[in-house]
Structure formats: structure tokens, C-alpha cells
Amino acid sequence: MNIEIQNITKRFNKVTALENVSTSFSSGQCIALLGPNGCGKTTMIKTILGMVIPSAGVIKVNGKNIHNDYIYRNDIGYMPQIGKYPANMTIKEVVETIRKLRKPEKDIDLELYFSFKLDEIENKKMNTLSGGTIQKVSACVAFMHNPSILILDEPTAGLDMIAMEVLKEKILKEQAKGKLILITSHQLNELEEILTHVCMMDEARILFFRSKEEIKISTQCDKLATAVYSLFKNIKS
Amino acid sequence: MKELLILISKDILKNRTIIAFAILLFCITWSVFILEDSNEKALHTLGNLVLMVVPLISILFSTIYIYNSTEFIELLVSQPLKRKSIWMSLFAGINVSMIFALFVSIFLPILFYSPTYLGFLIMLLAIFLSAVFISLGFLSSILFKDKARGIGFSMILWLFFALIFDGLILFFLFQFSDYPIEKPMTVIAALNPIDVSRILLLTEMDNEALMGYTGALFQKQFGSIYGKMIIVCILVLWVFIPYYFSLIKFSNKDI
């Protein structure tokens, strides 16, 4: 499982969200995608998912160009930053719907569904849920089909402490199976233990993409967050 | 694709707007049949009603529905589904539920009171008109990101085809009444989906004689089988072309 990004550029009218970005992620890695607000993280994730169509460049998932393809998304579980669901559906209906829409009926992994205790409130409608609960539904949906690539956009935002531990545990478990996990987040401290790599973006470009150990050694910092911050400052100045 | 179609149709049939629309139209249709002294007269009234109301409801409903399902579409796009089949399922789903609503509200009373050729023609036109205006609604909802603008554009489209277009034609007919422009004008009128349906209805209602020369022209140009085929072709094109443009737009849209 790998994702290859080659010279991707994306412009929205006059705003450039991605400028000639190239990188590649491979299985077994758990990558934190970092960067200041509006640096193009979400756009990058959305181009991988085919939701945003790049102005130039090629993205390959498992060696296949994703342009005009959709089957590759069977291998991807996506947890959006702000999960949006049809207001009138219940939690159960949302999960059922997505299960039905995924064609090859793989084994369904409902571990998160039960550990988040969504089964107890499964008949609640989506528009009555709090932001955190919607995040839980999103997480559950992303992990449900046992995908080999997991893309989590701000998974920790809005989750309570217990839910976050549950999610972290689940991510560790999936990572042990050799999955490729891509996380965007601002809270490095919370994710430090599960990460293997850090990919820093700034002003529509990738600033650096290194492994956790490499960053720590090169900056001689013990804490990942401080290490990343000092590296960021070094490169910028 | 099939799953998605069923899902969307179910969702729409639970929609309050469509239920209210069906009930309202149902009441009107029944009362028209009860109040008019002959069934044929009632069909005339109903025909005119269908020409105005069905396009309005179809275009408004489809536009608003697409805007309201933005979130759902977003969710679908991130799943392993073709964008084309998402859009197609939406289109088919709205059409199916609209036909269902029309069936309950208009077709049943017609079948009950007056299952004549004219009755069937009105049903056919209702289906065609709803498809045409759903397709236009799709186009305007994809053209504008802003909901208010999109709905506004839909309203203008309906106003244009239902009222303004006729006004313009009338204006030209009066302005150039010294020239023989009746013939080209009937052709131009046929470019409007509502007018073309009206022409088809008029030629079948046998009262074009009341409309003098223009009526005779309509009968001559569109009364034959050949002319009717042209009318059906025009309607099919009106369904297909706006939908096709919206499909292309949607396939390349950033979500």
C-alpha cells in the first residue's frame, strides 16, 4: 500500500492551495500532516480522495493513477474534519447506508461502534448530535471496512479524553497490521506515541518529511512537539 | 447505483414538501373534476394547471433538494462510487419520486374520471415537464455555489419559460404584424418546453379553430404524427441537455 504524489498543483481561482507538491507515503507508516492553518493540508487529503481535482500533477495509489478512478477508494477509510451527514438519518441508518454503498462486502469492523457506545444511541438523528458524537460516527465509518489506508482529518478535535484514548488504541492496532495512516492534527503531544513520521507543510508546499527519530536526533529535543517546532523555525529562517 | 437510487427515492418520498405538493395537487385535481360539468372541460383546466404548476414545483424542489443534500453528496463522493452514478442516482431518484407524487395526485383522478387519449396525453406531458425542469434545477444548482442565487436563478428560469417567453413572442407578433412572421414564430415558440407542451395539448383539444390563423398554423405544423414526433424530440432534448451539462460540471467539481 502506498500513495505517490507527483508535482501536484491546485489553484482555487487566485488562491494556490498546493504548489508543485511531491512526496510518497508507504504502508506501515503513521504520518502526521502538520502545518499552519490554511497551508493546504485538507486540500492535499481531498486530492488523494479524489474530492478535489488537482490542476496539475499525478497521484498514484498502489501504483495506479487515481484520475477518473473510483475503485481505489475501497482501500481508503476517510474521517473528515467536520463530518456532515444527512440531518434526518439516524446513526444506525448512516452506518447501514455506507455499508451498503461499499460494493465488495468485506468483513465489517464495528469495534469502534461499540467501544464508543454508539449502539446505545443508534436511533438518534444526526442533527441532534453534538460535534464530538458526530466525530465518533465519522471515526466508526472510516474504520468500518477495514481499509488498508486510513486518512484522518483532525480526528482529535472535539473528542473527549476517553474517546480519544479509544481512538488512539484503535489506530495503534491498525498500524500493527501494517496499514498506512495519515493524520492531520495540531496536537502533536497527544499523537506522539502513535506517529512514525512527520510531514510539515507551509504555504502550499511540503517543508520536510522525516521520521520521528530523525527529527528528534537532528534537533536534540526529547519531545516531538518541541523538536518539530524548532526544526520548523530553523528551516524557515 | 441501485442501492443509491433506492436510498435517495426513499429519502425524497419521506420529504414533507413533496407530500404537501402531492396532497395539494390531489385536492385541486379532484375538485376540478367535481366542479366542472363535463370531464373534457375538466381535462382542459387540468392541462393548463399542469403546464404551470408542475414545472414550478419540479424546478424548485430539485434545486432545493440538491442544495440540502450537499453534505450527503460530500459523504458519497468520498466513498468508492463513481461521480457520474451519484449524479445519475440523484436525478433518477428525484424523477421517480416526482412521478410517484404525480401518479397519486393527478394520474389516479384522471384514470378514475376520464381515462381518455387526452387524459393520457396530460399525464405524459406532466412526466416530461417534470423531467425537463428537474434537469434545469440540477443545472442551476451546480452553476451557483450560493443557495440563494441558485434558487433565484431557478425561479427566473421558470418565470422565463412560463411567462416572459410568451410575452416576448406576443410582443414580436404585434411589432412585426405587417410581416408574415407567424410561421417562424410558431417554430420559435416550439423551443420553449412549456409552450411546446401547450401546443401539443391545443392541437389535441380540437379548439385551435378558436385561435384563428395561428391555431390553424399550429394544427398544420404540429398536428401530424411527424409534428408530434418533433415535439417529443424537443422535450427529450430539454431533459437531456441541461442534465448533461450539469453532469459534466459535477464530474469536475471540487467538493
Side-chain angles (χ1 to χ4, degrees):
Chain A
M1 287 299 143
N2 62 340
I3 301 173
E4 250 184 275
I5 297 172
Q6 297 165 355
N7 309 324
I8 286 289
T9 298
K10 177 67 195 176
R11 289 195 180 83
F12 295 107
N13 294 324
K14 280 175 189 166
V15 183
T16 306
L18 292 173
E19 178 77 58
N20 206 13
V21 170
S22 300
T23 186
S24 77
F25 307 127
S26 47
S27 57
Q29 293 179 336
C30 180
I31 304 133
L33 196 57
L34 302 176
N37 300 102
C39 67
K41 287 173 298 192
T42 299
T43 309
M44 181 143 118
I45 281 178
K46 284 191 168 179
T47 51
I48 296 172
L49 283 161
M51 293 169 84
V52 169
I53 293 149
S55 318
V58 176
I59 295 179
K60 287 177 180 173
V61 173
N62 295 330
K64 268 170 87 184
N65 190 342
I66 62 162
H67 187 64
N68 282 334
D69 191 12
Y70 64 98
I71 298 160
Y72 77 98
R73 286 201 283 268
N74 270 318
D75 293 325
I76 300 182
Y78 169 55
M79 176 176 173
Q81 191 169 15
I82 303 159
K84 292 176 183 164
Y85 299 93
N88 282 322
M89 276 193 183
T90 62
I91 297 180
K92 198 180 171 185
E93 280 172 336
V94 166
V95 173
E96 276 293 301
T97 303
I98 291 171
R99 202 177 65 82
K100 276 186 193 159
L101 291 177
R102 292 254 182 167
K103 279 277 160 59
E105 289 252 345
K106 289 187 196 166
D107 294 335
I108 301 298
D109 177 6
L110 286 176
E111 192 189 332
L112 279 179
Y113 192 66
F114 294 108
S115 45
F116 280 150
K117 301 209 165 90
L118 290 176
D119 52 323
E120 289 168 17
I121 49 166
E122 63 183 10
N123 290 322
K124 271 197 178 177
K125 285 192 172 174
M126 293 309 289
N127 56 357
T128 62
L129 301 181
S130 71
T133 318
I134 292 176
Q135 285 287 87
K136 287 181 191 171
V137 176
S138 298
C140 174
V141 165
F143 284 87
M144 193 166 63
H145 292 270
N146 210 2
S148 42
I149 298 171
L150 281 161
I151 298 180
L152 314 173
D153 198 355
E154 300 275 358
T156 52
L159 284 184
D160 60 66
M161 265 162 48
I162 303 163
M164 221 163 74
E165 286 307 313
V166 169
L167 185 62
K168 256 200 237 171
E169 238 169 69
K170 182 71 185 167
I171 293 174
L172 274 174
K173 217 189 249 180
E174 297 301 308
Q175 197 194 357
K177 292 181 195 163
K179 295 189 176 180
L180 167 53
I181 301 166
L182 191 60
I183 305 176
T184 72
S185 179
H186 297 292
Q187 285 137 317
L188 259 186
N189 292 329
E190 281 163 7
L191 297 172
E192 182 164 354
E193 47 199 296
I194 57 176
L195 294 178
T196 63
H197 289 73
V198 172
C199 179
M200 187 82 182
M201 289 183 75
D202 189 42
E203 286 167 6
R205 295 165 197 271
I206 290 183
L207 218 53
F208 60 83
F209 174 44
R210 296 182 194 174
S211 77
K212 186 165 74 175
E213 285 72 31
E214 220 179 305
I215 293 171
K216 279 186 179 171
I217 291 165
S218 67
T219 55
Q220 293 174 327
C221 282
D222 212 26
K223 269 197 131 190
L224 187 61
T226 3
V228 166
Y229 181 60
S230 64
L231 191 59
F232 177 69
K233 271 206 304 198
N234 269 344
I235 294 176
K236 284 289 275 186
S237 57
Chain B
M1 169 93 193
K2 213 179 85 196
E3 288 292 342
L4 196 56
L5 180 61
I6 294 169
L7 201 89
I8 291 166
S9 309
K10 262 196 206 160
D11 185 47
I12 298 174
L13 287 176
K14 275 192 279 179
N15 191 299
R16 277 190 211 130
T17 319
I18 206 101
I19 294 171
F21 164 65
I23 292 172
L24 181 76
L25 214 54
F26 182 79
C27 296
I28 294 175
T29 315
W30 277 99
S31 51
V32 163
F33 273 113
I34 291 166
L35 290 176
E36 295 278 5
D37 31 323
S38 80
N39 282 344
E40 202 181 335
K41 249 182 164 177
L43 276 183
H44 286 200
T45 315
L46 199 61
N48 282 321
L49 197 82
V50 163
L51 289 177
M52 296 301 267
V53 176
V54 170
L56 177 65
I57 300 294
S58 306
I59 197 168
L60 275 185
F61 182 74
S62 62
T63 315
I64 295 172
Y65 186 79
I66 293 293
Y67 280 114
N68 286 351
S69 16
T70 315
E71 290 95 36
F72 187 47
I73 293 172
E74 225 167 272
L75 181 69
L76 291 176
V77 168
S78 71
Q79 298 299 320
L81 294 167
K82 246 192 209 164
R83 284 215 184 174
K84 273 188 181 152
S85 49
I86 295 174
W87 203 240
M88 242 152 74
S89 309
L90 280 168
F91 187 66
I94 295 181
N95 266 304
V96 165
S97 9
M98 207 64 191
I99 289 172
F100 187 77
L102 288 173
F103 181 81
V104 175
S105 59
I106 300 182
F107 299 179
L108 278 183
I110 288 181
L111 288 175
F112 184 75
Y113 279 107
S114 170
T116 55
Y117 171 62
L118 192 58
F120 283 108
L121 191 68
I122 289 177
M123 293 191 232
L124 188 73
L125 285 179
I127 292 175
F128 262 121
L129 279 176
S130 85
V132 167
F133 281 83
I134 288 169
S135 158
L136 285 170
F138 269 56
L139 185 64
S140 67
S141 62
I142 200 88
L143 282 181
F144 299 94
K145 220 172 176 176
D146 183 45
K147 190 174 176 175
R149 276 192 195 176
I151 295 172
F153 185 67
S154 287
M155 292 285 283
I156 289 171
L157 277 181
W158 175 78
L159 264 179
F160 179 77
F161 287 125
L163 299 168
I164 299 171
F165 193 90
D166 290 355
L168 285 177
I169 284 200
L170 213 61
F171 174 75
F172 280 113
L173 278 176
F174 275 114
Q175 285 296 310
F176 300 99
S177 54
D178 296 343
Y179 305 93
I181 61 162
E182 283 88 348
K183 236 179 160 173
M185 272 307 161
T186 51
V187 174
I188 290 172
L191 294 177
N192 177 340
I194 296 181
D195 278 355
V196 92
S197 312
R198 187 176 289 133
I199 290 169
L200 189 59
L201 270 185
L202 287 176
T203 54
E204 292 307 318
M205 280 174 176
D206 297 326
N207 57 2
E208 72 276 358
L210 296 174
M211 292 167 35
Y213 183 53
T214 327
L217 254 179
F218 280 154
Q219 183 65 350
K220 200 173 142 208
Q221 283 185 336
F222 299 107
S224 60
I225 293 284
Y226 186 62
K228 276 170 205 155
M229 272 163 61
I230 290 177
I231 289 179
V232 171
C233 285
I234 291 171
L235 285 173
V236 169
L237 282 179
W238 267 110
V239 177
F240 184 71
I241 292 171
Y243 169 71
Y244 184 70
F245 276 111
S246 71
L247 183 69
I248 289 176
K249 269 286 241 186
F250 180 71
S251 306
N252 298 310
K253 198 187 169 202
D254 294 325
I255 291 164

